[in-house]
Amino acid sequence: MKHQEILPTPKLTPYIHSFWELKGEPHDNQWERIFPDGCPGIVLNIGASFHTDNGKIVMDHGKTYVVGAMTSFKDSFINTDTHLLGVCLKPTAFSNFYKYVPQHELINSTVQFDKAYSFDLEKIKKVPTDYLNSFFIDRIRMSNKPLTTVIANIHHCKGQISIYELAKQNHMTVRQLERNFKIHIGTTPKEYARIVRFQSALTLMTTPHQQKSLSDIAFECGFFDQAHLANEVKHHTGLTPSQF
């Protein structure tokens, strides 16, 4: 399969990680697995019917879908006729563009948008990046970015922070923090930090030629021990560390 990412216009970089396109190739006929990163997305299927969410959901041609943040892995079936266009939103950015449901209602789910929220199939096929930039610039509902500092704190310490300390640093109660995460991100703050820590470990595990053992990685990423790391990797990917 071919996968490419394109950065949005600078006006959208506070809200959007990237636009992306995925196309199947002649010999593709397999399940592909993606891992949780705490980000929601929007996907348009411009190819044949597409099976995702471990085979539970079929995305129809020409339809636009919102994909909630994930807390575990997800398998999708890629074949020759697969052709998707997508948007990887930054955490909390969904509400900057859409007045929809709280993010906790979308967690681990793929939901078809109605026409009012959907991309225009014919327009997007002509010049995808220009269309997406214009679409999201026109849709910005509010410029404030809730939980920006909180998210930055979590990433700065690579997920190694207690929720009490996180709330204290940002002058909130734990209850306020959890409520805001439920609305704007979908996960709990503890689960989001857990995903960030997992991603940090995954980066170390998959870096070519690095000499760190699994015990070293577990220690560096704040896991109790190598077994704890292995359990987290298994939870988020369905695979053992050695399978990487």
Side-chain angles (χ1 to χ4, degrees):
M1 65 179 179
K2 293 182 179 179
H3 181 273
Q4 63 173 342
E5 294 188 358
I6 300 172
L7 295 177
T9 185
K11 188 173 182 178
L12 292 173
T13 53
Y15 314 102
I16 296 175
H17 280 299
S18 65
F19 303 135
W20 55 266
E21 182 176 20
L22 187 152
K23 296 180 71 173
E25 297 185 287
H27 300 294
D28 281 332
N29 195 46
Q30 73 279 337
W31 290 94
E32 291 289 336
R33 181 163 295 182
I34 57 174
F35 308 140
D37 60 7
C39 298
I42 312 295
V43 180
L44 170 66
N45 183 13
I46 59 178
S49 295
F50 179 73
H51 290 74
T52 187
D53 289 25
N54 306 319
K56 297 176 183 177
I57 297 294
V58 178
M59 299 172 66
D60 295 324
H61 171 79
K63 304 297 183 181
T64 303
Y65 297 80
V66 55
V67 182
M70 298 158 47
T71 59
S72 188
F73 63 89
K74 179 183 294 188
D75 289 334
S76 299
F77 193 76
I78 310 296
N79 62 25
T80 305
D81 300 318
T82 299
H83 192 179
L84 306 174
L85 289 175
V87 181
C88 180
L89 298 170
K90 292 187 176 181
T92 78
F94 187 86
S95 57
N96 289 105
F97 301 111
Y98 299 98
K99 188 177 181 180
Y100 201 58
V101 297
Q103 286 295 289
H104 72 91
E105 295 187 27
L106 299 173
I107 201 77
N108 294 319
S109 298
T110 299
V111 178
Q112 183 182 326
F113 265 153
D114 60 32
K115 189 174 182 180
Y117 295 115
S118 297
F119 298 140
D120 186 305
L121 179 62
E122 296 308 315
K123 290 181 179 179
I124 200 172
K125 285 166 68 175
K126 293 177 181 177
V127 191
T129 304
D130 289 350
Y131 173 86
L132 290 170
N133 279 321
S134 297
F135 180 91
F136 284 101
I137 287 173
D138 291 343
R139 288 200 69 92
I140 294 177
R141 299 175 54 246
M142 55 184 182
S143 58
N144 65 304
K145 297 178 284 296
L147 296 173
T148 299
T149 304
V150 178
I151 296 299
N153 291 157
I154 294 174
H155 282 270
H156 178 72
C157 65
K158 299 180 180 179
Q160 299 179 53
I161 188 170
S162 73
I163 304 311
Y164 173 80
E165 183 61 29
L166 191 63
K168 182 180 178 181
Q169 287 181 7
N170 290 275
H171 311 291
M172 299 181 188
T173 65
V174 170
R175 186 174 180 180
Q176 287 173 322
L177 184 64
E178 291 178 336
R179 182 169 62 248
N180 286 332
F181 261 74
K182 188 175 182 179
I183 293 170
H184 296 292
I185 295 181
T187 68
T188 64
K190 182 177 180 179
E191 181 64 48
Y192 186 83
R194 183 183 179 189
I195 290 169
V196 170
R197 185 171 61 169
F198 152 72
Q199 284 287 346
S200 178
L202 187 63
T203 297
L204 292 174
M205 288 169 54
T206 56
T207 299
H209 311 303
Q210 64 88 15
Q211 301 299 314
K212 295 178 180 178
S213 67
L214 287 177
S215 294
D216 292 337
I217 293 172
F219 177 78
E220 183 173 332
C221 294
F223 295 98
F224 296 125
D225 51 27
Q226 184 175 328
H228 184 201
L229 170 62
N231 288 336
E232 286 295 283
V233 170
K234 183 74 172 180
H235 169 78
H236 288 109
T237 71
L239 303 169
T240 64
S242 62
Q243 288 176 300
F244 282 101

